[in-house]
Amino acid sequence: MLRLDKVNKYYRVGTHSLHVLRDVELEVADGEFVAIMGASGSGKSTLLNILGILDDYDSGEYWLGDTLIRSLSEAKAANYRNRFIGFVFQSFNLLPFKTALENVALPLYYQGVTRRKRNQIATQYLERVGLRDWAEHLPSEMSGGQKQRVAIARSLIGKPRLILADEPTGALDSETSKQIMDLLSEIHRTGITVLVVTHDPEVAIRTQRTIRLRDGKVVGAHEASLSNPGMPVAVP
Ligand code: ADP
Ligand code: MG
């Protein structure tokens, strides 16, 4: 599905240069469910943004399928994003003055799908996340868990092969987090590759594998599945 080979990323802050990702090596197979853990500031979001082609990197190689993702034009990057990748964020990133249905349908609007057709498809995706009756509600009328379900429905509507979720349960209580992980597990079972950045060991343990970042370096990967109870749980 994707591979990073000695990827480095720097942020230039004034005259200084911050080395945020250091020779990151990473391979994720088709259909995997992977957690990325690490302390705040360790480079998790930067890594996810590179994987999502929302940001570029300075050296190394990022292969998405058979394509080298490097210094793409914004049009090309957007094309790959729309065809391959769905995003889920901690703060949901819903448009506040759009209904749940309109938020889910938004990616189809950018694809030029007619209003009637996109509402029809968006209704199916809302139903899939258990929110059929909430179609006409605004985000402000919904709970955090419901808003994240709307965001997940929106991430799925373009039929992505890869879902990138940056702390998707970071703003939710533990019971709601569990429900969101149930939903992501269900999505994973349909064959979609899922990468979840998290601080929460309870979230990581629901995935098949945990990758740990420390100061921009991958510090070792282990199976987090219950079939490996002897392995230590990654704690940031
Ligand atoms: P995490 O998601 O693990 O908390 P980030 O990837 O957000 O970490 O950040 C990694 C490091 O890069 C941090 O030191 C952060 O302050 C810095 N950083 C992140 N984004 C920028 C940016 N746009 N400009 C400058 N520094 C940044
Ligand atoms: Mg982050």
Side-chain angles (χ1 to χ4, degrees):
M1 159 65 58
L2 62 85
R3 183 163 61 86
L4 293 183
D5 193 14
K6 285 200 177 351
V7 162
N8 286 275
K9 169 76 179 175
Y10 303 83
Y11 285 118
R12 277 156 264 287
V13 186
T15 56
H16 295 277
S17 176
L18 193 61
H19 196 175
V20 194
L21 294 180
R22 300 164 181 260
D23 286 336
V24 169
E25 307 264 353
L26 185 68
E27 194 161 357
V28 177
D30 262 335
E32 267 199 291
F33 191 8
V34 176
I36 298 171
M37 293 191 89
S40 182
S42 59
K44 304 181 300 295
S45 293
T46 301
L47 175 60
L48 216 66
N49 289 343
I50 288 171
L51 295 177
I53 330 179
L54 294 165
D55 202 353
D56 211 347
Y57 52 97
D58 294 288
S59 68
E61 290 184 349
Y62 169 28
W63 290 87
L64 180 58
D66 297 331
T67 306
L68 178 61
I69 304 294
R70 187 80 204 268
S71 314
L72 299 182
S73 66
E74 184 44 44
K76 269 203 166 148
N79 181 38
Y80 282 114
R81 279 199 299 271
N82 296 339
R83 278 172 43 206
F84 287 113
I85 306 170
F87 295 92
V88 179
F89 301 96
Q90 174 172 356
S91 52
F92 323 122
N93 291 14
L94 301 177
L95 295 181
F97 302 114
K98 298 279 182 195
T99 64
L101 187 78
E102 289 167 335
N103 269 285
V104 173
L106 200 66
L108 299 180
Y109 170 83
Y110 292 116
Q111 288 175 26
V113 177
T114 63
R115 184 189 177 89
R116 187 188 172 86
K117 186 78 185 157
R118 56 179 198 263
N119 285 352
Q120 184 194 331
I121 299 169
T123 301
Q124 291 167 9
Y125 278 89
L126 271 180
E127 190 159 6
R128 182 161 164 197
V129 300
L131 289 177
R132 193 200 161 92
D133 296 339
W134 289 78
E136 298 309 320
H137 286 261
L138 294 173
S140 59
E141 299 165 335
M142 308 180 91
S143 69
Q146 288 174 324
K147 282 187 267 201
Q148 197 58 298
R149 283 170 187 278
V150 172
I152 289 171
R154 180 186 57 187
S155 79
L156 291 172
I157 203 164
K159 297 191 189 301
R161 290 172 52 200
L162 172 65
I163 295 283
L164 299 176
D166 196 350
E167 313 248 15
T169 65
L172 306 175
D173 62 68
S174 61
E175 179 54 32
T176 309
S177 295
K178 197 179 154 293
Q179 292 164 5
I180 292 299
M181 286 311 291
D182 288 343
L183 184 54
L184 289 176
S185 302
E186 209 176 282
I187 288 162
H188 164 243
R189 281 195 296 275
T190 68
I192 298 175
T193 307
V194 181
L195 261 70
V196 185
V197 163
T198 185
H199 273 98
D200 184 353
E202 299 285 329
V203 167
I205 202 115
R206 301 282 309 271
T207 70
Q208 296 170 314
R209 180 158 71 99
T210 299
I211 293 165
R212 296 187 64 185
L213 272 185
R214 184 180 294 145
D215 300 329
K217 283 189 115 128
V218 174
V219 289
H222 71 266
E223 298 302 316
S225 73
L226 295 173
S227 59
N228 265 329
M231 300 297 279
V233 172
V235 176

